[in-house]
Amino acid sequence: MESILSPVKEKQGFKDFMPILGTDYVELYVSNSKQAAHYYKTAFGFKSLAYSGLETGNKDVESYAIRQDKITLVLSSPLHSGSDIGRHIDRHGDGVKVTALWVDDATRSYEEAMKRGARSFMEPTRHEDDLGWVIKSGICTYGEVVHLFIERKNYNGPFLPGYRKWESNYQPTETGLRYVDHMVGNVEMGRMNHWVKFYEEVMGFKNILSFDDNDISTEFTALMSKVMSNGDGKIKFPINEPAAGLKKSQVDEYLEFYEGEGVQHVAMATNDIIHTVSELRSRGVEFLEVPDTYYDALKDRVGDIDERIDTLRDLNILVDRDEEGYLLQIFTKTVNPRPTMFFEIIQRKGATSFGKGNFKALFEAIEREQELRGTL
Ligand code: FE2
């Protein structure tokens, strides 16, 4: 099967039943929220935004919200044993629990999803404090991941009711990260199309791009992927499933160590990947490396680009071109003790795709990491 690239075009008169204004925040359940917040501030350049915990009257959970431009991360840990968050961490290690979507009407979004077959996570609930009110609702997606709908047009606080502004003397400089470009889920073999159907039917998303195991395979391992996009293309959720190969693929490794389906990577966009990656490297973020030969063949593959190939080679930044332009991207090594979640840094220069031309080099790089872990 050929990969297809068909940007979502709304038919005349077609009304998007699930309008989404953007990614509101991404919440990770982690074993030490305080230290995780420090890591993301130091290494990635996020700034302190808001805090919820014992000092705000929250006796169960401590959460730190940190922000860089339009990206908000929330790091949450339980304050006692026997909690849902504790059980989540015990099973999965640190990982993404919530992808919160910013909507105009969280009650309507919930009702539209529910009548199309969604599984409820949270009925529409009003949360308020002195600074206004927010409506939250939520539905379940793959694994234990949930999508919350956040309606915040009547709220003027720093983040959400229940949080107070987190004042900190420590605010490392930003690294140029701007917004969540896409967020990828890993699902069990044979389940990709189930979740494609879920996003189509329940959330009105479209499948804009597909890759089969001929597109994404190396000598040893393979996976399949379909990219789901919402009506206006702001929200993109690629879904991966493992495909049969000679050895264990990265998706299998993830599913084994995460002990189930979950978020594999969050891609964060920058306007200047050379600056961003130089900063991240100087702050200790580790990236996957491709061999030097990748850069020898680069010019023939992608043609003229604005960046110097030597600079890209030094930083190990990858390049790919599609019909609309090109993109630059790089992937961190996994950020948890378990080989599960990682981040992508991406700069788009016209290209709307996901770097298919880099898949082989990239997956060979991942296999080298797997080899070191003894999990290939
Ligand atoms: Fe990606």
Side-chain angles (χ1 to χ4, degrees), residues 156-356:
N156 292 310
F159 181 49
L160 287 171
Y163 283 77
R164 72 168 189 215
K165 193 168 192 302
W166 176 17
E167 306 279 2
S168 171
N169 294 328
Y170 179 63
Q171 301 283 28
T173 51
E174 297 191 341
T175 59
L177 298 174
R178 296 187 52 238
Y179 58 89
V180 174
D181 185 276
H182 60 276
M183 211 185 64
V184 180
N186 279 340
V187 302
E188 301 280 355
M189 189 178 277
R191 295 292 284 169
M192 178 177 68
N193 285 328
H194 168 85
W195 291 108
V196 164
K197 207 161 149 257
F198 165 86
Y199 281 104
E200 282 173 348
E201 290 179 358
V202 171
M203 298 193 65
F205 281 39
K206 300 272 190 305
N207 175 207
I208 57 164
L209 210 49
S210 302
F211 307 102
D212 66 13
D213 43 346
N214 294 319
D215 296 318
I216 316 184
S217 64
T218 66
E219 191 183 345
F220 299 119
T221 69
L223 64 89
M224 299 196 284
S225 188
K226 288 190 175 176
V227 182
M228 305 308 294
S229 168
N230 79 319
D232 67 2
K234 264 195 209 111
I235 306 292
K236 291 183 282 295
F237 292 147
I239 301 164
N240 296 334
E241 74 168 37
L246 290 175
K247 295 187 178 183
K248 189 193 289 178
S249 82
Q250 50 168 307
V251 180
D252 286 311
E253 185 193 38
Y254 177 101
L255 294 168
E256 182 183 324
F257 279 90
Y258 200 69
E259 298 188 23
E261 302 177 341
V263 172
Q264 180 208 41
H265 74 269
V266 178
M268 302 186 286
T270 169
N271 281 346
D272 183 353
I273 198 167
I274 289 171
H275 166 73
T276 298
V277 172
S278 302
E279 273 296 316
L280 297 181
R281 282 191 181 280
S282 75
R283 298 166 189 221
V285 177
E286 295 182 319
F287 294 96
L288 289 176
E289 285 176 15
V290 294
D292 243 26
T293 49
Y294 173 90
Y295 294 93
D296 299 338
L298 189 59
K299 188 144 192 331
D300 288 340
R301 191 162 64 76
V302 300
D304 286 336
I305 55 173
D306 302 333
E307 296 74 15
R308 289 193 49 210
I309 288 183
D310 283 350
T311 311
L312 300 177
R313 186 196 304 258
D314 288 347
L315 293 169
N316 241 269
I317 293 168
L318 311 178
V319 190
D320 197 28
R321 188 178 278 284
D322 64 22
E323 293 84 346
E324 291 159 276
Y326 69 99
L327 61 82
L328 303 112
Q329 63 186 168
I330 190 166
F331 298 82
T332 72
K333 293 187 179 179
T334 55
V335 294
N336 295 325
R338 303 188 197 189
T340 51
M341 186 188 166
F342 57 88
F343 291 92
E344 172 181 354
I345 312 300
I346 184 166
Q347 180 179 5
R348 296 187 177 280
K349 293 191 138 179
T352 54
S353 52
F354 294 83
K356 177 184 161 188

Side-chain angles (χ1 to χ4, degrees), residues 115-158:
K115 78 179 182 207
R116 290 172 170 84
R119 190 154 59 88
S120 176
F121 177 73
M122 180 197 284
E123 287 184 7
T125 324
R126 183 180 163 119
H127 304 257
E128 61 183 305
D129 63 18
D130 299 346
L131 298 164
W133 48 272
V134 165
I135 307 285
K136 280 194 209 176
S137 61
I139 59 170
C140 302
T141 178
Y142 50 79
E144 293 199 74
V145 182
V146 301
H147 293 311
L148 290 189
F149 300 112
I150 308 288
E151 172 187 331
R152 54 168 67 255
K153 57 181 181 268
N154 297 299
Y155 192 63
N156 292 310

